[in-house]
């Protein structure tokens, strides 16, 4: 018997040391993906000890210096960041399995992780190299930054991207799943959602504004899950299995999420199956334009 929203964690509920949130295999039932989120003040510094995981450092707000070491060689990479996650792509840094690192800077930063013995070279992906995809149409329009997908990044296990959903729009839609191995059709992937919310771009909200969105997931033959939750900046949702979608941006409030996916399959690929009750909706996008508010780019 599953409990509603047992896989959703409010900001700080997964705190560990200097990290605001940590997701790893210390959580019961979790094994293929990881995430760390922290906010650094002036002079902030966070160590990432060497471990059997590959990592992707993603500035959420602010810019960062990352000092990293692989096989004795020390390198320093400057990550040109952004004012917020709603200001276009950021530089990201892929850290090879076994690399140690130290993050320095001021702002919010996320580190995606996946356990793997595979070793791929560390890589600085600059923001002008990040493919920006406008997915869907009409009220299903959203913006995807594909900096950690197989087509862009050579990695061992994980697939990482971020999604911006403008106010009133739905993303992660139609509902879909990736919890059964069906060669060429569906892959098995755990998934982490890390959320941020903000007053809709172009609006001046009052001080008491409370940006939020919603996330939904429900049971599939692979397992029980029941999620229908409000989410705000710093919240985390974990999807071990099941149909998931939509993520809904409330009127007046934009919604962002960072996705980290990985699984046990031999191939690193994102193959999904739509819920047959709702998959037909994709065809309706052909007669609609993409939301003219997109893309959200870097503000002057």
């Amino acid at each position: 018997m599953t409990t509603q929203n047992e896989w959703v964690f409010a900001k700080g509920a997964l705190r560990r040391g200097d990290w605001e949130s940590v997701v790893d295999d210390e959580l019961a039932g979790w094994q293929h993906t990881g995430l760390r989120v922290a906010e650094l003040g002036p002079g902030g510094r966070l160590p990432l000890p060497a471990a059997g995981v590959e990592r992707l450092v993603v500035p959420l707000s602010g810019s960062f210096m990352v000092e990293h070491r692989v096989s004795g060689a020390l390198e320093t990479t400057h990550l040109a960041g952004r004012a917020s996650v709603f200001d276009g792509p950021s530089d990201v840094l892929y850290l090879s399995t076994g690399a140690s690192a130290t993050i320095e800077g001021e702002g919010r930063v996320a580190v995606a992780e996946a356990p793997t013995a595979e070793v791929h070279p560390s890589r600085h992906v600059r923001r002008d190299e990040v493919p920006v995809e406008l997915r869907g149409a009409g009220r299903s329009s959203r913006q995807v930054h594909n900096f950690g997908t197989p087509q862009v990044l050579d990695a061992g296990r994980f697939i990482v991207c971020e999604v911006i959903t403008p106010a009133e729009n739905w993303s992660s839609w139609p509902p879909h799943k990736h919890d059964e191995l069906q060669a060429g059709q569906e892959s098995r992937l755990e998934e982490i959602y890390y959320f941020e919310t903000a007053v809709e771009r172009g609006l001046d909200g009052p001080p008491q504004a409370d940006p939020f969105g919603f996330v939904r997931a429900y049971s599939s033959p692979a397992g029980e899950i029941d999620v229908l939750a409000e989410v705000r900046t710093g919240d985390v949702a974990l999807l071990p299995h099941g149909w998931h979608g939509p993520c809904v941006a409330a009127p007046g409030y934009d919604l962002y999420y960072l996705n980290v996916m990985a699984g046990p399959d031999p191939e690193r690929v994102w193959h999904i199956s739509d819920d047959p009750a709702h998959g037909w909706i994709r065809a309706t996008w052909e007669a609609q334009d993409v939301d003219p508010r997109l893309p959200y780019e870097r503000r002057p």
Side-chain angles (χ1 to χ4, degrees):
M1 200 60 189
T2 189
T3 302
Q4 188 176 43
N5 299 338
E6 66 179 317
W7 293 100
V8 179
F9 300 87
K11 179 180 179 179
L14 298 172
R15 182 175 296 279
R16 192 183 302 171
D18 293 330
W19 296 95
E20 174 184 293
S21 295
V22 176
V23 177
D24 59 17
D25 60 6
E26 289 190 21
L27 287 171
W30 208 253
Q31 55 182 322
H32 301 293
T33 56
L35 177 70
R36 295 172 180 268
V37 179
E39 184 153 0
L40 283 73
R45 182 179 174 91
L46 283 169
L48 288 170
V53 296
E54 58 185 352
R55 293 174 167 134
L56 192 68
V57 181
V58 183
L60 301 170
S61 64
S63 298
F64 300 89
M65 298 291 294
V66 184
E67 190 176 78
H68 48 106
R69 185 185 296 274
V70 183
S71 302
L74 187 64
E75 298 182 22
T76 300
T77 302
H78 175 257
L79 298 181
R82 50 195 169 179
S84 80
V85 293
F86 301 101
D87 284 273
S90 169
D91 284 15
V92 300
L93 176 63
Y94 175 77
L95 292 172
S96 179
T97 304
S100 62
T102 301
I103 302 171
E104 297 184 34
E106 183 177 356
R108 289 182 67 77
V109 64
V111 182
E113 298 181 339
T116 180
E118 293 186 36
V119 177
H120 297 262
S122 296
R123 179 186 167 196
H124 179 192
V125 181
R126 292 173 171 81
R127 61 194 182 202
D128 58 1
E129 299 178 280
V130 176
V132 176
E133 175 190 0
L134 301 185
R135 188 178 295 172
R139 287 302 181 190
S140 298
S141 300
R142 58 271 206 190
Q143 176 174 329
V144 186
H145 299 159
N146 290 306
F147 45 65
T149 57
Q151 296 75 21
V152 176
L153 183 67
D154 186 22
R157 304 303 303 167
F158 61 27
I159 298 171
V160 189
C161 66
E162 59 185 10
V163 181
I164 295 91
T165 310
E168 301 183 37
N169 286 10
W170 289 28
S171 59
S172 221
W173 183 254
H176 56 278
K177 71 181 183 76
H178 37 72
D179 58 16
E180 294 180 282
L181 177 57
Q182 301 181 51
Q185 298 181 44
E186 185 178 341
S187 44
R188 291 176 295 175
L189 296 166
E190 269 182 356
E191 186 166 11
I192 300 171
Y193 280 70
Y194 162 79
F195 294 97
E196 294 206 7
T197 52
V199 171
E200 181 182 353
R201 190 168 186 167
L203 296 184
D204 291 321
Q208 68 270 24
D210 181 21
F212 72 99
F214 289 96
V215 61
R216 173 69 173 136
Y218 51 99
S219 300
S220 71
E224 292 188 353
I225 188 169
D226 185 7
V227 170
L228 178 57
E230 287 186 11
V231 289
R232 292 172 172 80
T233 294
D235 293 351
V236 174
L238 305 181
L239 298 173
H241 46 249
W243 303 102
H244 49 282
C247 290
V248 181
Y253 301 126
D254 292 334
L255 177 67
Y256 162 95
Y257 49 88
L258 176 68
N259 277 149
V260 186
M261 294 177 280
D265 295 348
E267 189 178 7
R268 177 180 169 240
V269 63
W270 183 64
H271 285 156
I272 64 171
S273 297
D274 285 338
D275 184 332
H278 305 295
W280 63 273
I281 293 169
R282 288 189 190 273
T284 67
W285 298 343
E286 297 173 8
Q288 301 177 63
D289 294 328
V290 173
D291 191 319
R293 293 174 292 178
L294 296 177
Y296 278 14
E297 298 175 317
R298 191 172 303 274
R299 288 180 257 208

